[in-house]
Amino acid sequence: MKRIDAPNATDERTMLNAWLDWHRSTVLLKCEDLSDELAQRPLLPSSPLMTVAGLVSHLRWVEQSWFEQVMLGEPDIGPWTDDDPDKDFKVPGVPLTRILEDYERQCVRSREIAAALDLDTEAVVERERGRVTLRWLLLHMIEETARHNGHLDLLREMLDGVTGD
């Protein structure tokens, strides 16, 4: 997996999309050559849901929720429930390759949605946030994906010693 660096100077839309894609590619890099057994292994007693597989699944569902549900007004199809709000992290027995394929497919769909909308397109978030723009959403997804890349980086080093960008 090779990442394409974001350009140093370009228009806002290109820059936002390039940085988000850079972080999406980093997710894939962090998972390269990791076994299913290691991808499912929890390492933190205080956060047993934080596994490599669980984080990638979570990122997939976050992409779906923000781009499809919030920006397009489509139904909430995420796995979470009121009784289990963290169910998107729970993927026992699901091969990492399938989780990564689902994530990549969702990223393609998110890119299509973003490309079809103006940066100033507004949507209402049912939670307490209120109205957001596509611009806000792209920045939020950069932050969300980057934060979880940090988690993936630490987990990967703890699991098998692999470090890197």
Side-chain angles (χ1 to χ4, degrees):
M1 163 62 52
K2 180 170 173 18
R3 288 179 298 198
I4 298 172
D5 287 335
N8 293 337
T10 189
D11 64 280
E12 180 183 20
R13 176 183 287 274
T14 301
M15 188 70 72
L16 290 169
N17 286 312
W19 274 110
L20 181 52
D21 280 341
W22 190 90
H23 285 291
R24 288 168 171 155
S25 295
T26 301
V27 170
L28 304 176
L29 276 172
K30 294 294 170 190
C31 296
E32 259 185 355
D33 302 320
L34 187 65
S35 71
D36 291 336
E37 187 270 323
L38 290 178
Q40 295 283 348
R41 184 181 297 168
L43 296 172
L44 305 171
S46 64
S47 299
L49 298 178
M50 190 175 287
T51 64
V52 169
L55 283 169
V56 177
S57 174
H58 169 72
L59 285 169
R60 178 266 172 126
W61 287 109
V62 167
E63 291 259 354
Q64 187 280 328
S65 177
W66 281 107
F67 285 96
E68 293 183 34
Q69 183 187 346
V70 172
M71 289 309 297
L72 297 183
E74 293 181 2
D76 181 359
I77 61 168
W80 40 70
T81 65
D82 289 339
D83 293 334
D84 194 356
D86 294 321
K87 197 169 182 181
D88 55 324
F89 284 92
K90 298 176 182 175
V91 287
V94 180
L96 182 59
T97 54
R98 181 170 147 218
I99 295 168
L100 291 167
E101 288 167 358
D102 289 347
Y103 176 63
E104 287 184 276
R105 246 188 321 278
Q106 188 61 55
C107 290
V108 168
R109 178 71 179 123
S110 297
R111 278 185 207 97
E112 292 169 353
I113 293 166
L117 299 173
D118 186 82
L119 288 176
D120 292 322
T121 300
E122 290 188 351
V124 176
V125 181
E126 291 183 15
R127 299 175 290 269
E128 68 284 349
R129 184 161 304 280
R131 299 186 77 73
V132 298
T133 63
L134 175 61
R135 177 182 289 104
W136 180 93
L137 171 54
L138 290 169
L139 285 166
H140 173 64
M141 288 306 302
I142 291 166
E143 175 274 327
E144 176 90 8
T145 309
R147 180 166 31 98
H148 289 312
N149 273 332
H151 297 138
L152 288 170
D153 193 42
L154 292 170
L155 289 175
R156 185 65 193 260
E157 183 173 354
M158 291 168 66
L159 287 166
D160 65 2
V162 171
T163 61
D165 299 333

